[in-house]
Amino acid sequence: MAETVTWEVLRELAEFGAEKGCAISLYVNLDPSDSPTADDADTRISSLIAEAERSQGANSSHLTHEQRVGLKADFERLTNYFENEFSRDGTQGVAIFLAGLDNAWRVLSLGEPVPDKVRVAREFYLAPLVPLIGRGDGAIVTVVGRERGQLFRLQNGQLVEIADQTEEAPGRHDQGGWSQARFQRHIEKLVAEHLRGVADELDRHLRRLRTPKIVIVASEETHSELENLLSSEVRHAVVGWRTAEAHASPAALLELARPLLDEARAQEEAATIDRWREEVGRGGRASSGWSETLEAASDARVEVLIYQDGADHSAWQCPACGRLALEGKSCPLDGTAMEERDDGLDLAVHQTLAHGGTVWAGSARSCDTES
């Protein structure tokens, strides 16, 4: 089953640094349009691993004998995993993070494609995961009717039921000796109580789950009745309303909700970029360009790192303290000679995450690497 990439997952991976051996990061694109058959996927995987082995073999002079042996064992473990354990079902990409000498092994089966990539370094390569973060994970999708009231939470690309407020209203056979008007008032009272219960349940989950985005699926009539019962906090968290068939499945509900969640994400991204531009324009707390951003990330001054998807740049890093710079020179903190790296974006991502910041891969609007 595909796993949703969360900030917790990314921060956990960002905290790792190889002390004994080397860290291997392997990304494989399993989009059916690119690898339609199992043989196509096997060929792609084998080619990636072989390419990484050849490249590492040609650049291993700086490694100890133990590290070279460890890398060979790690590549063999990758090959064995794909031959004997890996299941492609429900995935469009896979990312594996491995450092055998440091007892690290993590597999992420992804619901979205990632570019093919193998990287061997001291830390795991994380930039390809940033565009996948969230994708609405944690959102609440609620389907509400005069009797139905179910709350689902989006987890790992699927809707999981977290509450059921469904109540069966009395039928005509339950009318007994009541007059039609009295019976109708009774039904409306029960419906109002039911909708109030759903509204209260939404409010409880909103507070417990720390204000997730909410999508509500309801008829136009129920929409107007329920909206008046929602707390102001819930109304603020609702990113949209939809209508659906009476017994729509969780999969159908997610299909309805996904465009609303994606649009909310795009609006968040645009607002973040607007905020950055405003700060830059008035000389506020924002940096622009690679040099300023690498320095800000090293100084723990980046709240949000914004970059255009696909952007990258070489950078220099201090092997002792990890400080980053655009140009090679001695580290200004400890005087250590800095090392050139070709993955400046990933280095900035690591520094940002390490200091509690977040990262956005900009897609809705063009931007250079910024913070």
Side-chain angles (χ1 to χ4, degrees), residues 316-319 321 323-325 327-339:
W316 293 75
Q317 182 181 39
C318 174
C321 69
R323 188 171 184 82
L324 308 178
E327 298 178 355
K329 54 187 176 181
S330 297
C331 176
L333 299 184
D334 54 35
T336 304
M338 303 183 82
E339 299 176 348

Side-chain angles (χ1 to χ4, degrees), residues 7 130-131 133 213 264-270 272-273 303-309 345 358-363 367 370:
W7 289 115
V130 173
I133 293 177
K213 295 179 177 62
R265 178 184 173 91
Q267 290 176 359
E268 257 187 330
E269 177 185 302
T272 300
I273 294 175
E303 177 187 345
V304 183
L305 177 72
I306 310 168
Y307 69 92
Q308 184 178 6
D309 194 13
L345 174 62
T358 56
V359 187
W360 286 84
S363 57
C367 57
E370 301 156 348

